[in-house]
mmCIF file of all heavy atoms in Angstrom:
data_model
loop_
_atom_site.group_PDB
_atom_site.id
_atom_site.type_symbol
_atom_site.label_atom_id
_atom_site.label_comp_id
_atom_site.label_asym_id
_atom_site.label_seq_id
_atom_site.Cartn_x
_atom_site.Cartn_y
_atom_site.Cartn_z
ATOM 1 N N LYS A 1 -46.085 155.702 52.235
ATOM 2 C CA LYS A 1 -44.739 155.714 51.760
ATOM 3 C C LYS A 1 -44.610 155.216 50.298
ATOM 4 O O LYS A 1 -45.418 154.325 49.979
ATOM 5 C CB LYS A 1 -43.857 154.694 52.633
ATOM 6 C CG LYS A 1 -42.389 154.938 52.614
ATOM 7 C CD LYS A 1 -41.686 154.123 53.707
ATOM 8 C CE LYS A 1 -40.334 154.615 53.888
ATOM 9 N NZ LYS A 1 -39.674 153.869 54.961
ATOM 10 N N ASN A 2 -43.775 155.824 49.504
ATOM 11 C CA ASN A 2 -43.530 155.439 48.107
ATOM 12 C C ASN A 2 -44.802 155.403 47.223
ATOM 13 O O ASN A 2 -44.974 154.483 46.440
ATOM 14 C CB ASN A 2 -42.836 154.038 48.066
ATOM 15 C CG ASN A 2 -41.560 154.084 48.756
ATOM 16 O OD1 ASN A 2 -40.722 155.055 48.729
ATOM 17 N ND2 ASN A 2 -41.128 152.998 49.435
ATOM 18 N N THR A 3 -45.630 156.337 47.418
ATOM 19 C CA THR A 3 -46.798 156.438 46.526
ATOM 20 C C THR A 3 -46.726 157.770 45.791
ATOM 21 O O THR A 3 -46.984 158.817 46.346
ATOM 22 C CB THR A 3 -48.201 156.351 47.253
ATOM 23 O OG1 THR A 3 -48.113 157.350 48.310
ATOM 24 C CG2 THR A 3 -48.358 155.024 47.890
ATOM 25 N N ASN A 4 -46.280 157.755 44.553
ATOM 26 C CA ASN A 4 -46.129 158.962 43.788
ATOM 27 C C ASN A 4 -47.149 159.065 42.708
ATOM 28 O O ASN A 4 -47.001 159.818 41.766
ATOM 29 C CB ASN A 4 -44.725 158.955 43.116
ATOM 30 C CG ASN A 4 -43.619 159.047 44.136
ATOM 31 O OD1 ASN A 4 -43.836 159.763 45.131
ATOM 32 N ND2 ASN A 4 -42.477 158.333 43.954
ATOM 33 N N LYS A 5 -48.226 158.311 42.769
ATOM 34 C CA LYS A 5 -49.354 158.388 41.859
ATOM 35 C C LYS A 5 -50.466 159.087 42.372
ATOM 36 O O LYS A 5 -50.780 159.059 43.606
ATOM 37 C CB LYS A 5 -49.778 157.020 41.425
ATOM 38 C CG LYS A 5 -48.776 156.209 40.678
ATOM 39 C CD LYS A 5 -49.456 154.909 40.242
ATOM 40 C CE LYS A 5 -48.541 153.689 40.442
ATOM 41 N NZ LYS A 5 -49.190 152.531 40.176
ATOM 42 N N GLU A 6 -51.101 159.938 41.525
ATOM 43 C CA GLU A 6 -52.360 160.596 41.954
ATOM 44 C C GLU A 6 -53.541 159.678 41.823
ATOM 45 O O GLU A 6 -53.515 158.777 40.910
ATOM 46 C CB GLU A 6 -52.618 161.822 41.136
ATOM 47 C CG GLU A 6 -51.679 162.978 41.471
ATOM 48 C CD GLU A 6 -52.007 164.232 40.868
ATOM 49 O OE1 GLU A 6 -52.922 164.269 39.881
ATOM 50 O OE2 GLU A 6 -51.487 165.308 41.255
ATOM 51 N N PRO A 7 -54.554 159.680 42.644
ATOM 52 C CA PRO A 7 -54.633 160.576 43.747
ATOM 53 C C PRO A 7 -53.733 160.129 44.948
ATOM 54 O O PRO A 7 -53.584 158.965 45.237
ATOM 55 C CB PRO A 7 -56.107 160.472 44.164
ATOM 56 C CG PRO A 7 -56.527 159.120 43.757
ATOM 57 C CD PRO A 7 -55.718 158.716 42.496
ATOM 58 N N TYR A 8 -53.123 161.134 45.505
ATOM 59 C CA TYR A 8 -52.334 160.852 46.716
ATOM 60 C C TYR A 8 -53.259 160.535 47.921
ATOM 61 O O TYR A 8 -54.437 160.862 47.922
ATOM 62 C CB TYR A 8 -51.515 162.087 47.065
ATOM 63 C CG TYR A 8 -50.578 162.481 45.945
ATOM 64 C CD1 TYR A 8 -50.805 163.675 45.281
ATOM 65 C CD2 TYR A 8 -49.472 161.717 45.607
ATOM 66 C CE1 TYR A 8 -49.868 164.064 44.332
ATOM 67 C CE2 TYR A 8 -48.591 162.090 44.654
ATOM 68 C CZ TYR A 8 -48.831 163.277 43.969
ATOM 69 O OH TYR A 8 -48.003 163.705 42.910
ATOM 70 N N LYS A 9 -52.705 159.830 48.870
ATOM 71 C CA LYS A 9 -53.504 159.498 50.054
ATOM 72 C C LYS A 9 -52.817 159.967 51.289
ATOM 73 O O LYS A 9 -51.575 159.776 51.430
ATOM 74 C CB LYS A 9 -53.703 157.935 50.136
ATOM 75 C CG LYS A 9 -54.484 157.470 48.932
ATOM 76 C CD LYS A 9 -54.267 155.952 48.708
ATOM 77 C CE LYS A 9 -55.040 155.472 47.523
ATOM 78 N NZ LYS A 9 -54.585 155.993 46.247
ATOM 79 N N GLY A 10 -53.540 160.617 52.207
ATOM 80 C CA GLY A 10 -52.915 161.122 53.447
ATOM 81 C C GLY A 10 -53.842 161.295 54.576
ATOM 82 O O GLY A 10 -55.055 161.107 54.408
ATOM 83 N N LEU A 11 -53.303 161.643 55.718
ATOM 84 C CA LEU A 11 -54.078 161.859 56.928
ATOM 85 C C LEU A 11 -53.978 163.331 57.270
ATOM 86 O O LEU A 11 -52.817 163.868 57.328
ATOM 87 C CB LEU A 11 -53.558 160.934 58.069
ATOM 88 C CG LEU A 11 -53.575 159.467 57.759
ATOM 89 C CD1 LEU A 11 -52.973 158.735 58.954
ATOM 90 C CD2 LEU A 11 -54.871 158.969 57.371
ATOM 91 N N PHE A 12 -55.072 163.978 57.466
ATOM 92 C CA PHE A 12 -55.071 165.443 57.692
ATOM 93 C C PHE A 12 -55.618 165.833 59.027
ATOM 94 O O PHE A 12 -56.484 165.139 59.638
ATOM 95 C CB PHE A 12 -56.033 166.023 56.627
ATOM 96 C CG PHE A 12 -55.599 166.145 55.232
ATOM 97 C CD1 PHE A 12 -55.581 165.025 54.371
ATOM 98 C CD2 PHE A 12 -55.036 167.262 54.768
ATOM 99 C CE1 PHE A 12 -55.091 165.068 53.127
ATOM 100 C CE2 PHE A 12 -54.451 167.354 53.500
ATOM 101 C CZ PHE A 12 -54.590 166.226 52.632
ATOM 102 N N GLY A 13 -55.107 166.900 59.533
ATOM 103 C CA GLY A 13 -55.617 167.467 60.792
ATOM 104 C C GLY A 13 -55.156 166.677 62.063
ATOM 105 O O GLY A 13 -54.194 165.900 62.037
ATOM 106 N N ASP A 14 -55.873 167.011 63.163
ATOM 107 C CA ASP A 14 -55.544 166.454 64.452
ATOM 108 C C ASP A 14 -56.219 165.067 64.594
ATOM 109 O O ASP A 14 -57.219 164.839 63.970
ATOM 110 C CB ASP A 14 -56.072 167.395 65.587
ATOM 111 C CG ASP A 14 -55.296 168.691 65.539
ATOM 112 O OD1 ASP A 14 -54.096 168.703 65.182
ATOM 113 O OD2 ASP A 14 -55.927 169.700 65.968
ATOM 114 N N PHE A 15 -55.665 164.256 65.572
ATOM 115 C CA PHE A 15 -56.382 163.097 65.953
ATOM 116 C C PHE A 15 -57.608 163.462 66.706
ATOM 117 O O PHE A 15 -57.668 164.480 67.418
ATOM 118 C CB PHE A 15 -55.471 162.258 66.886
ATOM 119 C CG PHE A 15 -54.304 161.589 66.120
ATOM 120 C CD1 PHE A 15 -53.044 162.222 66.119
ATOM 121 C CD2 PHE A 15 -54.437 160.423 65.510
ATOM 122 C CE1 PHE A 15 -51.967 161.666 65.467
ATOM 123 C CE2 PHE A 15 -53.398 159.882 64.840
ATOM 124 C CZ PHE A 15 -52.150 160.441 64.805
ATOM 125 N N LEU A 16 -58.596 162.643 66.574
ATOM 126 C CA LEU A 16 -59.799 162.717 67.356
ATOM 127 C C LEU A 16 -59.978 161.515 68.296
ATOM 128 O O LEU A 16 -59.456 160.499 67.946
ATOM 129 C CB LEU A 16 -61.066 162.773 66.393
ATOM 130 C CG LEU A 16 -60.961 163.807 65.306
ATOM 131 C CD1 LEU A 16 -62.113 163.609 64.279
ATOM 132 C CD2 LEU A 16 -61.039 165.233 65.923
ATOM 133 N N ILE A 17 -60.587 161.759 69.393
ATOM 134 C CA ILE A 17 -60.744 160.679 70.402
ATOM 135 C C ILE A 17 -62.182 160.716 70.858
ATOM 136 O O ILE A 17 -62.763 161.767 71.194
ATOM 137 C CB ILE A 17 -59.700 160.774 71.579
ATOM 138 C CG1 ILE A 17 -59.851 159.616 72.467
ATOM 139 C CG2 ILE A 17 -59.927 162.041 72.278
ATOM 140 C CD1 ILE A 17 -58.648 159.459 73.423
ATOM 141 N N ASP A 18 -62.780 159.469 70.894
ATOM 142 C CA ASP A 18 -64.151 159.484 71.411
ATOM 143 C C ASP A 18 -64.142 159.155 72.937
ATOM 144 O O ASP A 18 -63.089 159.064 73.534
ATOM 145 C CB ASP A 18 -65.108 158.472 70.658
ATOM 146 C CG ASP A 18 -64.683 157.055 70.858
ATOM 147 O OD1 ASP A 18 -63.901 156.666 71.698
ATOM 148 O OD2 ASP A 18 -65.266 156.249 70.137
ATOM 149 N N GLU A 19 -65.387 159.130 73.447
ATOM 150 C CA GLU A 19 -65.436 158.933 74.945
ATOM 151 C C GLU A 19 -64.958 157.528 75.491
ATOM 152 O O GLU A 19 -64.786 157.273 76.598
ATOM 153 C CB GLU A 19 -66.866 159.268 75.484
ATOM 154 C CG GLU A 19 -67.879 158.168 75.038
ATOM 155 C CD GLU A 19 -68.556 158.595 73.801
ATOM 156 O OE1 GLU A 19 -68.070 159.304 72.846
ATOM 157 O OE2 GLU A 19 -69.777 158.235 73.667
ATOM 158 N N TYR A 20 -64.721 156.621 74.563
ATOM 159 C CA TYR A 20 -64.146 155.313 74.919
ATOM 160 C C TYR A 20 -62.684 155.138 74.691
ATOM 161 O O TYR A 20 -62.201 154.098 74.876
ATOM 162 C CB TYR A 20 -64.981 154.250 74.062
ATOM 163 C CG TYR A 20 -66.429 154.454 74.122
ATOM 164 C CD1 TYR A 20 -67.188 154.792 72.995
ATOM 165 C CD2 TYR A 20 -67.145 154.295 75.359
ATOM 166 C CE1 TYR A 20 -68.532 154.972 73.134
ATOM 167 C CE2 TYR A 20 -68.474 154.516 75.388
ATOM 168 C CZ TYR A 20 -69.167 154.907 74.316
ATOM 169 O OH TYR A 20 -70.570 155.076 74.328
ATOM 170 N N GLY A 21 -62.053 156.149 74.282
ATOM 171 C CA GLY A 21 -60.633 156.171 74.038
ATOM 172 C C GLY A 21 -60.186 155.726 72.620
ATOM 173 O O GLY A 21 -59.032 155.593 72.451
ATOM 174 N N ASN A 22 -61.220 155.558 71.746
ATOM 175 C CA ASN A 22 -60.819 155.186 70.301
ATOM 176 C C ASN A 22 -60.272 156.402 69.626
ATOM 177 O O ASN A 22 -60.865 157.495 69.662
ATOM 178 C CB ASN A 22 -62.065 154.655 69.641
ATOM 179 C CG ASN A 22 -62.632 153.363 70.314
ATOM 180 O OD1 ASN A 22 -61.844 152.402 70.506
ATOM 181 N ND2 ASN A 22 -63.849 153.411 70.554
ATOM 182 N N LEU A 23 -59.182 156.257 68.856
ATOM 183 C CA LEU A 23 -58.609 157.358 68.070
ATOM 184 C C LEU A 23 -59.163 157.220 66.610
ATOM 185 O O LEU A 23 -59.286 156.209 66.051
ATOM 186 C CB LEU A 23 -57.130 157.242 68.068
ATOM 187 C CG LEU A 23 -56.331 157.713 69.260
ATOM 188 C CD1 LEU A 23 -54.881 157.460 69.098
ATOM 189 C CD2 LEU A 23 -56.626 159.156 69.539
ATOM 190 N N PHE A 24 -59.310 158.454 66.087
ATOM 191 C CA PHE A 24 -59.818 158.614 64.673
ATOM 192 C C PHE A 24 -58.952 159.702 64.047
ATOM 193 O O PHE A 24 -58.370 160.536 64.735
ATOM 194 C CB PHE A 24 -61.259 158.954 64.631
ATOM 195 C CG PHE A 24 -62.192 157.939 65.200
ATOM 196 C CD1 PHE A 24 -62.436 157.830 66.559
ATOM 197 C CD2 PHE A 24 -62.820 157.095 64.340
ATOM 198 C CE1 PHE A 24 -63.312 156.879 67.012
ATOM 199 C CE2 PHE A 24 -63.711 156.120 64.848
ATOM 200 C CZ PHE A 24 -63.928 155.994 66.200
ATOM 201 N N ILE A 25 -58.930 159.727 62.734
ATOM 202 C CA ILE A 25 -58.234 160.759 62.054
ATOM 203 C C ILE A 25 -58.884 160.886 60.676
ATOM 204 O O ILE A 25 -59.542 159.945 60.146
ATOM 205 C CB ILE A 25 -56.713 160.538 61.872
ATOM 206 C CG1 ILE A 25 -56.006 161.768 61.438
ATOM 207 C CG2 ILE A 25 -56.421 159.325 60.938
ATOM 208 C CD1 ILE A 25 -54.488 161.809 61.794
ATOM 209 N N GLU A 26 -58.787 162.072 60.021
ATOM 210 C CA GLU A 26 -59.335 162.259 58.717
ATOM 211 C C GLU A 26 -58.420 161.691 57.624
ATOM 212 O O GLU A 26 -57.282 162.200 57.431
ATOM 213 C CB GLU A 26 -59.668 163.670 58.420
ATOM 214 C CG GLU A 26 -60.360 163.906 57.109
ATOM 215 C CD GLU A 26 -60.898 165.300 56.908
ATOM 216 O OE1 GLU A 26 -60.694 166.153 57.778
ATOM 217 O OE2 GLU A 26 -61.331 165.670 55.768
ATOM 218 N N TYR A 27 -58.918 160.735 56.884
ATOM 219 C CA TYR A 27 -58.190 160.226 55.672
ATOM 220 C C TYR A 27 -58.756 160.862 54.365
ATOM 221 O O TYR A 27 -59.979 160.966 54.277
ATOM 222 C CB TYR A 27 -58.465 158.653 55.630
ATOM 223 C CG TYR A 27 -58.168 158.045 54.329
ATOM 224 C CD1 TYR A 27 -56.850 157.757 53.958
ATOM 225 C CD2 TYR A 27 -59.069 157.816 53.295
ATOM 226 C CE1 TYR A 27 -56.465 157.171 52.726
ATOM 227 C CE2 TYR A 27 -58.762 157.262 52.126
ATOM 228 C CZ TYR A 27 -57.510 156.936 51.851
ATOM 229 O OH TYR A 27 -57.191 156.389 50.605
ATOM 230 N N ALA A 28 -57.839 161.255 53.531
ATOM 231 C CA ALA A 28 -58.342 161.826 52.260
ATOM 232 C C ALA A 28 -57.440 161.413 51.076
ATOM 233 O O ALA A 28 -56.305 161.182 51.247
ATOM 234 C CB ALA A 28 -58.259 163.397 52.423
ATOM 235 N N GLU A 29 -58.098 161.335 49.920
ATOM 236 C CA GLU A 29 -57.410 161.191 48.680
ATOM 237 C C GLU A 29 -57.442 162.570 48.018
ATOM 238 O O GLU A 29 -58.530 163.227 48.022
ATOM 239 C CB GLU A 29 -58.200 160.150 47.775
ATOM 240 C CG GLU A 29 -58.077 158.741 48.439
ATOM 241 C CD GLU A 29 -58.674 157.695 47.533
ATOM 242 O OE1 GLU A 29 -59.187 157.992 46.423
ATOM 243 O OE2 GLU A 29 -58.625 156.522 47.945
ATOM 244 N N PHE A 30 -56.356 162.983 47.425
ATOM 245 C CA PHE A 30 -56.316 164.306 46.904
ATOM 246 C C PHE A 30 -55.361 164.487 45.746
ATOM 247 O O PHE A 30 -54.509 163.570 45.499
ATOM 248 C CB PHE A 30 -55.819 165.299 48.062
ATOM 249 C CG PHE A 30 -54.464 165.016 48.615
ATOM 250 C CD1 PHE A 30 -53.328 165.691 48.171
ATOM 251 C CD2 PHE A 30 -54.299 164.012 49.622
ATOM 252 C CE1 PHE A 30 -52.082 165.357 48.670
ATOM 253 C CE2 PHE A 30 -53.091 163.703 50.124
ATOM 254 C CZ PHE A 30 -51.941 164.441 49.711
ATOM 255 N N LYS A 31 -55.389 165.535 45.051
ATOM 256 C CA LYS A 31 -54.559 165.898 43.958
ATOM 257 C C LYS A 31 -53.870 167.255 44.342
ATOM 258 O O LYS A 31 -54.467 168.073 45.029
ATOM 259 C CB LYS A 31 -55.249 166.017 42.604
ATOM 260 C CG LYS A 31 -55.782 164.730 42.100
ATOM 261 C CD LYS A 31 -56.418 164.975 40.739
ATOM 262 C CE LYS A 31 -56.890 163.678 40.224
ATOM 263 N NZ LYS A 31 -57.393 163.788 38.804
ATOM 264 N N ILE A 32 -52.673 167.506 43.719
ATOM 265 C CA ILE A 32 -52.075 168.806 43.878
ATOM 266 C C ILE A 32 -52.229 169.497 42.545
ATOM 267 O O ILE A 32 -51.799 169.016 41.546
ATOM 268 C CB ILE A 32 -50.610 168.652 44.215
ATOM 269 C CG1 ILE A 32 -50.390 167.891 45.478
ATOM 270 C CG2 ILE A 32 -49.912 170.026 44.349
ATOM 271 C CD1 ILE A 32 -50.919 168.451 46.789
ATOM 272 N N THR A 33 -52.890 170.763 42.592
ATOM 273 C CA THR A 33 -53.166 171.488 41.499
ATOM 274 C C THR A 33 -52.377 172.822 41.598
ATOM 275 O O THR A 33 -51.818 173.092 42.660
ATOM 276 C CB THR A 33 -54.669 171.734 41.238
ATOM 277 O OG1 THR A 33 -55.106 172.545 42.267
ATOM 278 C CG2 THR A 33 -55.454 170.448 41.176
ATOM 279 N N GLU A 34 -52.515 173.683 40.568
ATOM 280 C CA GLU A 34 -51.884 174.991 40.674
ATOM 281 C C GLU A 34 -52.560 175.824 41.764
ATOM 282 O O GLU A 34 -51.814 176.718 42.398
ATOM 283 C CB GLU A 34 -52.048 175.742 39.331
ATOM 284 C CG GLU A 34 -51.163 175.176 38.289
ATOM 285 C CD GLU A 34 -51.292 175.866 36.945
ATOM 286 O OE1 GLU A 34 -51.945 176.949 36.960
ATOM 287 O OE2 GLU A 34 -50.813 175.352 35.966
ATOM 288 N N GLU A 35 -53.822 175.554 42.088
ATOM 289 C CA GLU A 35 -54.496 176.302 43.211
ATOM 290 C C GLU A 35 -54.175 175.730 44.522
ATOM 291 O O GLU A 35 -54.591 176.270 45.554
ATOM 292 C CB GLU A 35 -55.995 176.266 42.902
ATOM 293 C CG GLU A 35 -56.469 177.068 41.694
ATOM 294 C CD GLU A 35 -56.329 176.242 40.434
ATOM 295 O OE1 GLU A 35 -56.507 174.952 40.432
ATOM 296 O OE2 GLU A 35 -55.994 176.921 39.326
ATOM 297 N N GLY A 36 -53.508 174.566 44.618
ATOM 298 C CA GLY A 36 -53.257 173.914 45.879
ATOM 299 C C GLY A 36 -53.804 172.481 45.931
ATOM 300 O O GLY A 36 -53.970 171.846 44.949
ATOM 301 N N CYS A 37 -54.177 172.123 47.092
ATOM 302 C CA CYS A 37 -54.662 170.724 47.379
ATOM 303 C C CYS A 37 -56.129 170.652 46.993
ATOM 304 O O CYS A 37 -56.970 171.381 47.535
ATOM 305 C CB CYS A 37 -54.471 170.387 48.883
ATOM 306 S SG CYS A 37 -55.035 168.758 49.383
ATOM 307 N N LYS A 38 -56.447 169.632 46.180
ATOM 308 C CA LYS A 38 -57.841 169.535 45.824
ATOM 309 C C LYS A 38 -58.277 168.109 46.327
ATOM 310 O O LYS A 38 -57.762 166.996 45.841
ATOM 311 C CB LYS A 38 -58.040 169.553 44.264
ATOM 312 C CG LYS A 38 -59.556 169.308 43.906
ATOM 313 C CD LYS A 38 -59.682 169.461 42.406
ATOM 314 C CE LYS A 38 -61.193 169.116 42.188
ATOM 315 N NZ LYS A 38 -61.591 169.030 40.769
ATOM 316 N N VAL A 39 -59.145 167.984 47.320
ATOM 317 C CA VAL A 39 -59.576 166.773 47.933
ATOM 318 C C VAL A 39 -60.635 166.126 47.036
ATOM 319 O O VAL A 39 -61.619 166.715 46.719
ATOM 320 C CB VAL A 39 -60.091 166.997 49.331
ATOM 321 C CG1 VAL A 39 -60.669 165.785 49.936
ATOM 322 C CG2 VAL A 39 -58.999 167.510 50.239
ATOM 323 N N ILE A 40 -60.397 164.874 46.757
ATOM 324 C CA ILE A 40 -61.350 164.116 45.948
ATOM 325 C C ILE A 40 -62.361 163.464 46.837
ATOM 326 O O ILE A 40 -63.531 163.471 46.543
ATOM 327 C CB ILE A 40 -60.544 162.959 45.169
ATOM 328 C CG1 ILE A 40 -59.609 163.717 44.176
ATOM 329 C CG2 ILE A 40 -61.545 162.089 44.380
ATOM 330 C CD1 ILE A 40 -58.560 162.792 43.543
ATOM 331 N N SER A 41 -61.868 162.822 47.931
ATOM 332 C CA SER A 41 -62.808 162.275 48.917
ATOM 333 C C SER A 41 -62.117 162.309 50.220
ATOM 334 O O SER A 41 -60.853 162.240 50.379
ATOM 335 C CB SER A 41 -63.209 160.802 48.498
ATOM 336 O OG SER A 41 -62.056 160.009 48.576
ATOM 337 N N SER A 42 -62.904 162.259 51.397
ATOM 338 C CA SER A 42 -62.342 162.255 52.720
ATOM 339 C C SER A 42 -63.360 161.557 53.622
ATOM 340 O O SER A 42 -64.529 161.530 53.350
ATOM 341 C CB SER A 42 -61.971 163.515 53.166
ATOM 342 O OG SER A 42 -63.115 164.312 53.563
ATOM 343 N N LYS A 43 -62.811 160.964 54.666
ATOM 344 C CA LYS A 43 -63.693 160.368 55.700
ATOM 345 C C LYS A 43 -62.845 160.242 56.987
ATOM 346 O O LYS A 43 -61.614 160.248 56.970
ATOM 347 C CB LYS A 43 -64.244 158.997 55.255
ATOM 348 C CG LYS A 43 -63.137 157.962 55.033
ATOM 349 C CD LYS A 43 -63.751 156.578 54.590
ATOM 350 C CE LYS A 43 -62.660 155.601 54.349
ATOM 351 N NZ LYS A 43 -63.199 154.276 53.917
ATOM 352 N N ILE A 44 -63.621 160.180 58.086
ATOM 353 C CA ILE A 44 -62.994 159.911 59.370
ATOM 354 C C ILE A 44 -62.861 158.450 59.514
ATOM 355 O O ILE A 44 -63.809 157.651 59.343
ATOM 356 C CB ILE A 44 -63.848 160.489 60.528
ATOM 357 C CG1 ILE A 44 -64.143 162.084 60.302
ATOM 358 C CG2 ILE A 44 -63.279 160.209 61.875
ATOM 359 C CD1 ILE A 44 -62.851 162.852 60.392
ATOM 360 N N ILE A 45 -61.642 157.976 59.876
ATOM 361 C CA ILE A 45 -61.400 156.587 59.955
ATOM 362 C C ILE A 45 -60.677 156.218 61.294
ATOM 363 O O ILE A 45 -59.963 157.045 61.806
ATOM 364 C CB ILE A 45 -60.590 156.057 58.687
ATOM 365 C CG1 ILE A 45 -60.508 154.615 58.635
ATOM 366 C CG2 ILE A 45 -59.196 156.658 58.725
ATOM 367 C CD1 ILE A 45 -60.058 154.012 57.293
#
């Protein structure tokens, strides 16, 4: 919320769940360019 500076930060895709019931999701830092979303870095968190 209220982050208008690049790189933007967001969560992408579906939630993931392991066999123990722990939830994970893909976190990424990205920029918006004329070509679309350009991901700078991402990880499952």
Side-chain angles (χ1 to χ4, degrees):
K1 200 171 195 175
N2 299 325
T3 55
N4 295 323
K5 293 187 221 173
E6 287 188 347
Y8 301 112
K9 296 161 181 66
L11 305 178
F12 286 81
D14 294 329
F15 288 96
L16 305 169
I17 187 168
D18 69 7
E19 67 265 36
Y20 310 113
N22 298 307
L23 281 177
F24 296 83
I25 195 161
E26 184 172 355
Y27 163 81
E29 294 184 2
F30 61 98
K31 291 183 178 186
I32 303 296
T33 66
E34 290 179 10
E35 293 83 34
C37 179
K38 181 179 178 186
V39 173
I40 298 164
S41 67
S42 73
K43 63 181 177 179
I44 303 296
I45 191 164

